[in-house]
Amino acid sequence: MPSPREPSEAATRATTLVRDDAPHRRRLLAFWKHGSATFDLPDTGAVTVGRGRECDVRIDHASVSRKHVRVHLGRHVAVEDLGSSNGTVVGGRPIGKAEIVQVEPGAVVEVGSAMLLVQGGDADRALAAVGDATAPTGDDEPRPSRHGRLTEPPPGPASSRARLDVVVEDAAMERLYRLAQLVAKSTISVILLGETGVGKEVLAETIHRNSARARGPFVRLNCAALPDNLLESELFGYERGAFTGAVAPKPGLLETAHGGTVFLDEVGELPLATQAKLLRVLESGEVTRLGSLKPKSIDVRFLAATNRDLEAIVATNAFRQDVYYRLNGISVHVPPLRERRGEIRALAQLFLRDACRKAGRPEGVLTAAALARLEGHTWPGNVRELRNVVERAALLSQEGAIEPEHVMLGMTGVPQTREPAPPPSTRELRAAGPADERQRIIDALDRCGGNQKEAAKVLGISRRTLVYRLDAYGLPRPRKKT
């Protein structure tokens, strides 16, 4: 039987998820309204999940049946419905009673209004999320509305009052955001995975705004955007005289985030020396400024994001394993835009409305033909690329309706008559590793005639990040072809 890390009565009240110091141990993470808990799992065998006291994993919530599901453990994770009242849904598909379905990496299995995540263990490092779309939710619980907007709890102070206008119209994204809302209630650290431009930062801010830290600061840091020495001083701060030019003490971003959330974007680019200092913060909750011997206590929650396979980087010793396990309380994968095409229309209309408002002009209109061009594109740069294309189309349309000729796909400035081959899936990229990313950079530079700025846009990253990766992969910095 798995051993709960929370007492059994914790299932009826809000709890704090406890970090596991045995990173290879497989765990079952449970989240439900007003509560969370974690349980150790065996490497093989099966455990039952339900509301009844006889279950191995007990979740005392009305939406969960007395014996809801059985989780089969081994090389893979599989789920079996035990005749639950609300049913069991795997990846959006209801399964039958006694049917056993393997849980693929990133698949969502729904059982009541609780979400269970199987995480850790060498046999299965993939995320298996469990939640319920059929059970009713309380009026005070944030949820995707029928119009595809994520409704949120009452706003915090003025500094946090601007609401995120999040488009959630894809079923997988609805489950993802519902998971994020439940995870937000705990203090666990989260790593957001996904290609560049998919919206990881928006999801991170959503987690912050739905957490108990919503009234505190949300501090962002792009780990690839700063040189190593500047990155360290920005993150940890410094005292007067710590280095040439340090004429006055300055608190670091970790200090300024006290009581709130720190979002480490492109965390895979953190230098090893900075990782070692970050580990001390993660373990002790204390930060020491450069040039100081006295640590300061801070209270922050860490969210991180990357488009790289951190486990592969850890295997090459380019990323510290202990830092990875401290940050990786939960891994959440954000699917690329090409896998949620149903959101392209709503996103395009949102970006068009924003572009027209900024330009001080009436809201534009997307013609059916222009929309068809958008929906037929593969979007290697994902949501970020879509925003750029729509903003450019709004400029070219000169206050008229947006027609296909205004939709400039790619970076040549000429509408494409043939779409490029779709980029590999996230799973394929992870399997291929750094070599595939290196080739994508080469292809993008060749496509853009050596123009680094345009190649970065194609890849959905900043030019500074592109330069960093050129150096990392030993690629020469090309000059723009004339």
Side-chain angles (χ1 to χ4, degrees):
M1 176 182 295
S3 59
R5 297 188 177 278
E6 305 288 346
S8 59
E9 61 267 27
T12 60
R13 67 174 187 271
T15 59
T16 299
L17 198 65
V18 179
R19 285 289 298 127
D20 193 342
D21 292 327
H24 294 289
R25 183 72 174 178
R26 181 179 271 165
R27 301 164 312 210
L28 184 67
L29 311 180
F31 299 90
W32 62 97
K33 186 179 179 181
H34 305 316
S36 59
T38 183
F39 303 84
D40 286 337
L41 293 175
D43 294 330
T44 59
V47 298
T48 57
V49 180
R51 195 178 70 253
R53 294 184 178 276
E54 68 275 18
C55 291
D56 299 317
V57 176
R58 182 169 179 254
I59 301 177
D60 192 6
H61 194 278
S63 66
V64 180
S65 298
R66 292 189 61 84
K67 285 188 176 181
H68 202 115
V69 297
R70 180 176 291 115
V71 180
H72 297 269
L73 302 162
R75 179 177 179 83
H76 302 287
V77 175
V79 173
E80 175 187 3
D81 182 78
L82 300 178
S84 60
S85 299
N86 288 327
T88 302
V89 181
V90 178
R93 182 183 73 85
I95 66 174
K97 180 180 179 181
E99 182 180 0
I100 301 177
V101 176
Q102 181 174 321
V103 179
E104 297 295 335
V108 176
V109 183
E110 305 174 28
V111 293
S113 60
M115 288 190 170
L116 311 181
L117 298 96
V118 177
Q119 187 150 335
D122 291 333
D124 180 18
R125 298 181 183 274
L127 172 70
V130 186
D132 175 26
T134 59
T137 57
D139 292 337
D140 58 340
E141 184 174 8
R143 59 193 183 278
S145 73
R146 68 180 64 185
H147 301 295
R149 300 278 184 244
L150 183 70
T151 57
E152 299 185 354
S159 60
S160 304
R161 198 164 292 164
R163 284 186 48 173
L164 295 175
D165 199 356
V166 181
V167 171
V168 184
E169 295 195 355
D170 178 80
M173 291 298 288
E174 287 184 1
R175 290 190 290 271
L176 177 64
Y177 270 85
R178 190 154 36 81
L179 169 63
Q181 292 158 6
L182 289 177
V183 169
K185 307 303 179 184
S186 74
T187 60
I188 195 168
S189 57
V190 183
I191 293 182
L192 304 175
L193 305 173
E195 298 176 9
T196 56
V198 294
K200 298 187 290 293
E201 182 173 344
V202 173
L203 184 59
E205 191 165 356
T206 298
I207 293 175
H208 170 72
R209 289 177 181 273
N210 282 276
S211 74
R213 299 171 178 268
R215 294 180 178 274
F218 179 76
V219 178
R220 307 170 180 84
L221 176 66
N222 188 321
C223 300
L226 298 172
D228 293 2
N229 58 339
L230 184 57
L231 174 65
E232 194 168 306
S233 62
E234 286 294 313
L235 193 59
F236 302 103
Y238 53 83
E239 296 291 351
R240 179 183 178 183
F243 51 84
T244 303
V247 296
K250 179 185 176 181
L253 294 178
L254 294 178
E255 282 188 61
T256 62
H258 180 73
T261 304
V262 171
F263 175 53
L264 301 176
D265 197 10
E266 300 198 53
V267 69
E269 314 300 338
L270 270 179
L272 284 170
T274 306
Q275 292 177 35
K277 294 186 176 182
L278 179 62
L279 177 63
R280 290 198 290 269
V281 178
L282 292 168
E283 291 180 335
S284 66
E286 296 180 335
V287 62
T288 304
R289 295 182 184 180
L290 300 181
S292 174
L293 299 177
K294 183 179 180 181
K296 294 186 176 182
S297 296
I298 58 171
D299 173 25
V300 298
R301 182 186 191 176
F302 285 91
L303 306 178
T306 181
N307 67 336
R308 304 181 65 184
D309 186 344
L310 279 185
E311 290 187 356
I313 302 175
V314 168
T316 64
N317 296 320
F319 198 91
R320 292 180 61 111
Q321 186 180 63
D322 43 14
V323 174
Y324 170 68
Y325 286 127
R326 286 288 179 179
L327 291 175
N328 188 30
I330 297 178
S331 297
V332 178
H333 174 252
V334 185
L337 185 57
R338 63 183 174 276
E339 294 181 7
R340 45 186 171 110
R341 293 183 181 276
E343 295 188 342
I344 292 177
R345 176 194 296 267
L347 285 167
Q349 291 173 338
L350 172 63
F351 297 152
L352 178 58
R353 184 169 61 249
D354 289 346
C356 292
R357 184 179 65 249
K358 292 176 182 177
R361 49 172 280 193
E363 184 174 337
V365 177
L366 274 168
T367 64
L371 180 61
R373 280 189 59 77
L374 295 176
E375 291 179 336
H377 189 47
T378 55
W379 300 112
N382 293 292
V383 179
R384 183 179 299 146
E385 181 187 1
L386 175 60
R387 179 189 288 274
N388 291 337
V389 168
V390 172
E391 290 177 348
R392 184 165 52 212
L395 178 64
L396 295 173
S397 67
Q398 297 183 352
E399 301 191 16
I402 292 182
E403 301 289 350
E405 59 265 25
H406 302 137
V407 179
M408 303 297 178
L409 301 176
M411 305 311 301
T412 62
V414 178
Q416 296 176 349
T417 57
R418 179 181 178 183
E419 299 295 345
S425 65
T426 300
R427 189 176 302 172
E428 292 170 339
L429 285 175
R430 290 177 182 170
D436 187 89
E437 183 179 43
R438 185 179 189 274
Q439 187 59 49
R440 290 185 70 195
I441 292 174
I442 294 173
D443 292 343
L445 286 167
D446 182 67
R447 173 182 173 185
C448 300
N451 188 311
Q452 297 177 34
K453 182 178 179 181
E454 299 302 322
K457 290 182 180 179
V458 170
L459 295 166
I461 59 178
S462 67
R463 182 181 180 278
R464 187 184 296 272
T465 299
L466 174 60
V467 171
Y468 179 93
R469 292 182 183 176
L470 287 173
D471 293 340
Y473 289 127
L475 295 171
R477 300 185 187 181
R479 294 181 179 178
K480 182 179 178 181
K481 295 179 182 179
T482 57

